[in-house]
Amino acid sequence: MKRKLVILGNGMVGHRFAEKIAEYGGAEKFEVTILGEEPRRAYDRVHLSDYFTNRSADSLYLSPSDWYRANGIRLLLSEPAISIDTVSRKVITSAGTELPFDELVLATGSSAFVPNFEGVDKQGVFVYRTIEDLEKIMTYAKQVSKVAVLGGGLLGLEAAKAVLDMGKESHVVEFASRLMPRQLDEAASSVLKSKIESLGVRIHLNKETKQALGDSSFQGLEFVDGSVLEVEMLIISAGIRPRDELAKNSGIEVGQRGGVLVDDELRTNVYGVYAIGEVALHKGMIYGLVAPGYEMAETLAYNLCSPGQKTKSYAGSDLSTKLKLIGVDVASFGDALGQTEHLPIAYTNPRTGVYKKLVISPDGKKLKGGILVGDADAYSTLLTLYLNNVELPAEPESLIVGTPSKEGSAFGSLPDEAKICSCNNVSKGDLLGAIRSGSCSDLKGLKECTKAGTGCGGCIPQMNSILKEELRAQGKVVTEHVCEHFKYSRQELFQIAKVKGIRSFEEMIRTHGMGNGCEVCKPAVASIIASIYNEPIQKHREIQDTNDKYLANIQRGGTYSVIPRIPGGEITPDKLIVIGQIAKKYDLYCKITGGQRIDLLGARMEQLPDIWKDLVEEGFESGHAYGKAMRTVKSCVGSTWCRYGVQDSTAFAIRIEERYRGIRAPHKLKSAVSGCIRECAEARGKDFGIIATEKGWNLYVGGNGGVNPKHAILLAADLDEETCVKYIDRFMMFYIRTADKLVRTSAWLEQLEGGIEYLKDVIINDRLGINKALEEEMDNLVGTYICEWKDVVEDPEKQKKYKHFVNSEDPDPTVCFIEERGQKRPVDWPKKELVSN
Amino acid sequence: MNTTAKEPVWIPVSAVSEFPEDGGVCAKVYGEQIAIFHFSSRNEWFACENKCPHTGDMVLARGMIGDSQGEPKVACPMHKKSFSLRTGACISGEEYSIKTYPVHIEDGTVYIGIESPGTQG
């Protein structure tokens, strides 16, 4: 019986906690329910102001929409808890649902602190906390021209920037004598203030608000000093107040000035009830930053998932921050304000608007904190020195004057346990491990793998240098970008094409790329478009890879080979004769291929339409041997002829081949069906292979005979034909959607995190909830099949493209053949010596 | 071959409409095979010899065009070696290069500039 774990709050910290529970294998121990008050799933509140410009909640979401389901977590949105019964141990939600719990985690966060002055409830006064708040702000802002932000902290300055970006007059009102009073000293604040003012934001310090002006709607602020600021709208960002009322009403102990009291293991006074994030009061601190909340989430998730192990303690967090405010770098870390015994070293340059301060220990050996305004390049170096308690150089001022080394030799010697990302508690060793495992080869991948760099982002320069250094050490520089023209992977381009309905290369490069494209991205986009829309690829002829462009394989001498489809390798004598006759008519070399088909080689380009006209008339169709596409399905004779066969492998192979013929994929695909375990069709050497059993069919995937031959692995056993086809549909579409360009199924499966077990979960258990979509997409491809060669032989315009010369009917005079074993073959390429004029 | 620089002789090849956009065709010009590319996304035309200097096959006109760091190029269909369409240099770092020709468009006709036609060899 699983324990019931209920999480109250689906903000950044609640979500992180759920992620960590999943990561630590908590799904096996707990039945997890997470309650969110907002109508949407968890999003990145730190970058809320981005919403002003892109208006897209999608880009802020912390996980894909199917994440919760895929991880077995029940998510209830727009349904906050309204009471906690600590005796009968259940939570009651706003919808009246009763949720019994064994463990309860309060991650209810905080609300905006609203100062209690007269008129604060007038129309036109807003708080700045959620996407819904922003939407209200944007709507109301349409009718005003002057806006004030109450609060000169991080969030307030962000809001002021957003106001400026909306084209409004922007004011910041701060109670204290300086901006960002928790992070900056007077000197830093003054540098920042003049920088921000030069950009057009007006700053009012030392202003205690007396009342709001205006009748029903807000018209301005009157301050205690008698001065007045006339603005038509007010955004309050004056700090936070822990959302502790639910805890308080349920008998859970809270601090005098708010916040749920927790110990070093994040436990409240009620057994099995915990608090993390901005609602938690730990050692007298309420942290208004996401990084400490993440640390708490990590600590608690670890402790809950590892009973019997030594528990982790939460020791409090570092309050370092680095931001770009209105284009001005601001960073602060450690004991920035110098509240303990210290020596300050400061550098101010009013001309450039730069201020840097180091707070060092009295003996000059250790860095205790610092502030950087206007130029925060040194931040990641300094933070590392600080967090790892590294001894300072003899002249510590060299760290802030002159040009500090960005990629710092200081890092090379850092121990593996040195903390790099303090938001997510990621060490240098964690980063190296992720890079060395091969699962991430660029910054994006490294962020996904380790979460480092996904908080404040201050450690990104360091991550980059560690990544580069390590890749260099491995002798490689790898990115997932398709090529220089697109900063996207194939998988990303696929999603872009699908979501935006992009149907041409021209549109793709204009909207999401740069330059003119090349032989890498053009065929990749061509393949993506073909996989989504299944139009005749000749419609996009000039972006097709060389073989697709002429619907034939280019061979030595610049001639082509022709491979008609022979499904399952089954062919009548009449058809066999026809192939022979056509080969004779055009003087083609014949060979049985490795995939049970007949290759007709040595066709000149201009002969291709005629050869195919003859083949199509005789009932043959394109074999797609030229495409990164589904090609052939090999078979044995199965139960119809073989004395061992247990199922009709030939019939099934034909069915499979006809179903998937010509479907474009990241690489060529081959299949086979064997009628018994003797495996005469060599099905396990194929991208997907099927082997008959007494009870049905075993489906194997991810094998091939490419550069690194792999045996296919069992995906599912003893299937009936329909289920087998259904699973192949899902498998193929999942591969087509997600594989990188030119990656065959075996390599794709190897790179797939979680490997075959994960694939089984996706294909069989519908872990991602996408199988219906995959099946529909496959049905669409199957239903829109056309023979590409039939399309050409019926259209004289398309046949014109097969002339060798644009201005002459002559064939290429340089093509020569010699005879060997009774058939023709191209002459050898010149050896060693280059061909010269 | 006469290498003194002089104004090329312009040879008409075919109508502009015979050339696919962002693609190439091969033309026969005084017995030579010349690949001509209508690089429409750059609004430029290029011409080079049709022969792959690596294999000797007459296939460059069938190659895909594109750019590398802004340099217009064609990728040979045999092994995807890329050549600058401006200079003929092999961008894939091989030693061989290809000959390029000037292209001129007038009244809907494509012209190739050849030095001393008929006197080569």
Side-chain angles (χ1 to χ4, degrees):
Chain A
M1 184 81 173
K2 287 185 182 178
R3 295 177 71 76
K4 293 182 172 57
L5 171 61
V6 175
I7 306 166
L8 302 186
N10 188 32
M12 295 179 82
V13 172
H15 181 266
R16 170 57 64 96
F17 175 71
E19 274 185 339
K20 286 287 167 187
I21 287 284
E23 185 185 326
Y24 292 141
E28 286 167 19
K29 293 189 185 71
F30 298 108
E31 188 186 302
V32 184
T33 305
I34 183 162
L35 299 183
E37 170 184 58
E38 291 181 58
R40 51 186 96 233
R41 64 185 192 275
Y43 55 88
D44 181 355
R45 222 180 287 277
V46 174
H47 295 98
L48 197 57
S49 64
D50 291 353
Y51 193 78
F52 278 112
T53 30
N54 63 27
R55 307 277 165 102
S56 156
D58 280 357
S59 62
L60 294 176
Y61 284 130
L62 296 173
S63 60
S65 58
D66 52 12
W67 182 86
Y68 294 90
R69 190 150 60 113
N71 285 283
I73 295 168
R74 181 170 166 215
L75 171 67
L76 302 176
L77 292 177
S78 302
E79 193 172 344
I82 51 165
S83 70
I84 303 167
D85 185 335
T86 54
V87 178
S88 60
R89 299 184 78 76
K90 64 188 177 194
V91 167
I92 294 139
T93 76
S94 60
T97 314
E98 292 194 1
L99 294 171
F101 64 82
D102 296 299
E103 265 83 30
L104 178 69
V105 176
L106 302 172
T108 45
S110 60
S111 54
F113 166 70
V114 179
N116 187 21
F117 56 79
E118 203 185 316
V120 73
D121 53 353
K122 282 189 199 304
Q123 201 186 338
V125 179
F126 299 88
V127 295
Y128 185 81
R129 194 77 192 143
T130 65
I131 288 181
E132 277 61 39
D133 292 337
L134 262 64
E135 281 181 341
K136 285 183 209 153
I137 288 170
M138 283 188 282
T139 307
Y140 196 84
K142 284 182 190 144
Q143 62 192 53
V144 307
S145 59
K146 297 176 182 179
V147 182
V149 175
L150 190 67
L154 292 173
L155 208 57
L157 292 173
E158 280 280 339
K161 171 185 189 289
V163 168
L164 198 67
D165 290 346
M166 285 195 288
K168 315 288 173 190
E169 192 177 298
S170 179
H171 296 260
V172 171
V173 176
E174 169 58 47
F175 175 82
S177 60
R178 56 184 196 267
L179 292 173
M180 295 174 65
R182 287 194 190 189
Q183 289 92 6
L184 303 185
D185 59 14
E186 297 280 345
S189 164
S190 132
V191 170
L192 179 64
K193 178 169 178 278
S194 50
K195 271 262 186 181
I196 293 177
E197 280 174 338
S198 74
L199 296 161
V201 177
R202 304 186 199 181
I203 309 237
H204 313 268
L205 299 174
N206 292 312
K207 291 291 179 193
E208 185 180 348
T209 304
K210 185 175 168 198
Q211 62 170 326
L213 302 174
D215 297 329
S216 62
S217 65
F218 178 80
Q219 291 302 326
L221 288 172
E222 187 190 333
F223 303 111
V224 172
D225 64 11
S227 60
V228 163
L229 177 63
E230 285 183 12
V231 286
E232 304 144 272
M233 181 173 168
L234 182 68
I235 299 172
I236 296 179
S237 174
I240 57 162
R241 209 186 50 193
R243 297 277 302 272
D244 58 5
E245 60 280 359
L246 190 61
K248 206 162 154 184
N249 297 338
S250 314
I252 297 166
E253 200 178 345
V254 297
Q256 272 189 341
R257 287 157 63 197
V260 177
L261 273 170
V262 292
D263 64 8
D264 287 355
E265 289 176 30
L266 291 322
R267 297 180 293 205
T268 69
N269 65 321
V270 175
Y271 177 76
V273 177
Y274 307 84
I276 54 176
E278 293 180 349
V279 74
L281 177 67
H282 177 258
K283 287 192 175 146
M285 282 290 285
I286 287 178
Y287 293 96
L289 294 171
V290 73
Y294 277 5
E295 272 188 60
M296 294 181 205
E298 211 262 327
T299 306
L300 180 60
Y302 176 85
N303 289 348
L304 292 184
C305 291
S306 321
Q309 309 269 339
K310 189 173 181 299
T311 54
K312 283 191 184 180
S313 285
Y314 173 73
S317 289
D318 174 56
L319 284 172
S320 312
T321 36
K322 181 191 172 200
L323 291 161
K324 208 171 187 72
L325 285 165
I326 323 188
V328 186
D329 278 341
V330 179
S332 159
F333 62 94
D335 181 16
L337 301 177
Q339 287 161 338
T340 55
E341 198 189 351
H342 71 285
L343 282 175
I345 301 177
Y347 162 84
T348 318
N349 186 336
R351 192 178 59 80
T352 54
V354 170
Y355 173 80
K356 301 179 185 182
K357 179 169 100 169
L358 297 182
V359 176
I360 59 175
S361 59
D363 62 5
K365 285 192 175 155
K366 295 291 165 68
L367 186 60
K368 301 178 76 178
I371 298 173
L372 302 165
V373 176
D375 170 11
D377 281 353
Y379 175 72
S380 92
T381 308
L382 295 177
L383 186 67
T384 307
L385 296 175
Y386 162 68
L387 291 175
N388 296 289
N389 216 13
V390 175
E391 188 152 326
L392 293 174
E395 293 166 349
E397 60 275 17
S398 68
L399 295 167
I400 50 167
V401 291
T403 319
S405 148
K406 284 182 204 173
E407 298 202 7
S409 50
F411 300 131
S413 55
L414 272 185
D416 277 5
E417 55 272 19
K419 199 195 265 190
I420 304 296
C421 173
S422 52
C423 298
N424 293 289
N425 201 11
V426 182
S427 69
K428 181 184 171 190
D430 296 336
L431 294 174
L432 289 177
I435 303 166
R436 285 172 189 158
S437 74
S439 48
C440 33
S441 53
D442 62 6
L443 187 65
K444 188 172 158 283
L446 197 55
K447 282 161 100 175
E448 282 166 9
C449 276
T450 62
K451 298 266 178 203
T454 59
C456 71
C459 59
I460 288 175
Q462 240 182 295
M463 285 177 68
N464 239 331
S465 60
I466 290 171
L467 176 70
K468 276 191 205 150
E469 216 168 274
E470 180 57 24
L471 287 179
R472 236 178 272 132
Q474 292 176 10
K476 64 181 180 191
V477 173
V478 198
T479 66
E480 286 170 15
H481 298 169
V482 165
C483 65
E484 64 173 271
H485 303 100
F486 289 99
K487 299 217 175 309
Y488 297 99
S489 66
R490 180 190 178 276
Q491 184 178 359
E492 289 168 329
L493 285 180
F494 189 101
Q495 299 306 341
I496 289 169
K498 197 166 161 62
V499 171
K500 301 211 171 165
I502 292 174
R503 284 172 173 259
S504 72
F505 180 78
E506 187 276 325
E507 192 184 348
M508 183 65 97
I509 197 157
R510 181 167 43 79
T511 55
H512 292 84
M514 60 203 88
N516 307 114
C518 67
E519 72 281 4
V520 176
C521 58
K522 284 180 173 180
V525 171
S527 161
I528 288 167
I529 294 171
S531 292
I532 298 174
Y533 305 110
N534 217 21
E535 296 170 325
I537 61 164
Q538 290 299 300
K539 196 176 161 194
H540 311 283
R541 193 169 179 271
E542 301 303 333
I543 57 165
Q544 299 299 336
D545 215 335
T546 176
N547 291 345
D548 277 305
K549 185 169 174 182
Y550 293 93
L551 302 177
N553 289 5
I554 194 166
Q555 309 288 6
R556 286 186 174 224
T559 61
Y560 288 90
S561 61
V562 168
I563 304 185
R565 185 166 299 288
I566 301 177
E570 183 184 76
I571 188 165
T572 62
D574 279 343
K575 281 202 160 178
L576 205 50
I577 288 167
V578 163
I579 288 185
Q581 284 168 338
I582 291 172
K584 213 164 178 178
K585 178 175 171 187
Y586 295 96
D587 186 21
L588 303 173
Y589 167 100
C590 297
K591 187 178 185 308
I592 310 288
T593 71
Q596 296 181 338
R597 313 203 281 187
I598 299 170
D599 200 353
L600 308 172
L601 291 112
R604 294 168 181 275
M605 187 160 73
E606 66 278 5
Q607 291 179 309
L608 289 170
D610 290 336
I611 294 170
W612 273 106
K613 189 161 176 288
D614 289 355
L615 285 167
V616 168
E617 266 171 20
E618 295 295 340
F620 287 99
E621 60 182 29
S622 170
H624 295 88
Y626 45 80
K628 302 299 179 209
M630 176 65 207
R631 294 185 172 183
T632 173
V633 182
K634 224 174 142 180
S635 76
C636 63
V637 294
S639 57
T640 38
W641 286 96
C642 177
R643 65 187 192 278
Y644 296 110
V646 295
Q647 306 278 353
D648 186 354
S649 56
T650 310
F652 198 23
I654 293 170
R655 179 178 173 195
I656 296 287
E657 181 157 351
E658 290 187 336
R659 179 168 180 79
Y660 303 116
R661 60 193 163 179
I663 285 171
R664 293 292 192 294
H667 209 304
K668 64 182 171 187
L669 274 167
K670 295 180 180 179
S671 177
V673 183
S674 279
C676 78
I677 200 64
R678 284 171 186 77
E679 249 284 69
C680 296
E682 295 166 312
R684 290 190 64 199
K686 298 288 184 263
D687 294 281
F688 64 94
I690 303 159
I691 301 174
T693 69
E694 296 286 347
K695 296 180 211 154
W697 304 99
N698 281 0
L699 177 58
Y700 296 81
V701 297
N704 71 43
V707 186
N708 293 303
K710 284 266 151 40
H711 265 114
I713 312 167
L714 186 67
L715 181 78
D718 300 328
L719 305 168
D720 60 60
E721 246 185 69
E722 297 317 308
T723 311
C724 188
V725 167
K726 196 158 69 175
Y727 286 178
I728 299 169
D729 281 3
R730 295 172 183 177
F731 164 75
M732 270 180 69
M733 278 316 305
F734 190 50
Y735 163 66
I736 288 170
R737 269 195 185 192
T738 62
D740 202 355
K741 61 185 186 324
L742 301 182
V743 170
R744 288 196 71 171
T745 54
S746 61
W748 170 74
L749 183 55
E750 261 175 31
Q751 290 158 13
L752 201 63
E753 216 171 300
I756 187 72
E757 291 307 320
Y758 175 75
L759 188 64
K760 281 182 189 170
D761 212 9
V762 172
I763 302 294
I764 300 168
N765 305 332
D766 202 9
R767 172 183 182 142
L768 302 179
I770 58 173
N771 283 345
K772 189 161 171 286
L774 297 178
E775 285 168 28
E776 283 168 5
E777 282 165 25
M778 181 56 82
D779 278 340
N780 180 46
L781 293 184
V782 172
T784 52
Y785 170 81
I786 60 144
C787 170
E788 290 166 347
W789 267 110
K790 185 163 184 283
D791 185 51
V792 172
V793 300
E794 285 173 352
D795 184 345
E797 275 306 304
K798 287 177 182 151
Q799 289 164 42
K800 277 191 191 166
K801 310 282 188 190
Y802 290 84
K803 279 168 66 177
H804 185 74
F805 293 113
V806 65
N807 56 349
S808 160
E809 298 302 318
D810 294 347
D812 178 359
T814 68
V815 172
C816 323
F817 298 101
I818 51 172
E819 202 192 287
E820 193 166 299
R821 293 188 296 274
Q823 296 200 76
K824 72 173 185 186
R825 74 161 178 90
V827 292
D828 290 330
W829 278 330
K831 284 187 183 132
K832 287 179 190 167
E833 295 283 310
L834 284 174
V835 184
S836 60
N837 283 312
Chain B
M1 184 177 155
N2 189 346
T3 53
T4 38
K6 58 179 173 182
E7 180 64 18
V9 178
W10 293 103
I11 313 293
V13 175
S14 196
V16 166
S17 57
E18 296 289 310
F19 293 78
E21 298 216 338
D22 282 319
V25 297
C26 172
K28 199 173 193 175
V29 181
Y30 286 96
E32 298 276 308
Q33 295 199 24
I34 296 180
I36 305 170
F37 300 94
H38 182 193
F39 209 143
S40 48
S41 57
R42 293 172 71 99
N43 202 19
E44 286 182 281
W45 290 75
F46 297 100
C48 65
E49 59 181 313
N50 194 34
K51 187 196 275 181
C52 160
H54 168 221
T55 67
D57 295 324
M58 290 292 183
V59 292
L60 288 184
R62 303 177 213 166
M64 201 177 294
I65 54 173
D67 78 300
S68 175
Q69 310 294 323
E71 182 75 4
K73 63 168 193 171
V74 59
C76 175
M78 299 308 284
H79 300 107
K80 302 280 160 58
K81 309 264 188 229
S82 282
F83 299 93
S84 163
L85 287 170
R86 265 203 274 258
T87 67
C90 181
I91 296 174
S92 318
E94 308 286 332
E95 283 190 1
Y96 38 76
S97 62
I98 55 172
K99 202 154 92 182
T100 58
Y101 300 87
V103 187
H104 173 70
I105 312 295
E106 199 172 303
D107 294 336
T109 300
V110 178
Y111 293 80
I112 294 293
I114 302 275
E115 290 172 20
S116 307
T119 62
Q120 295 173 17

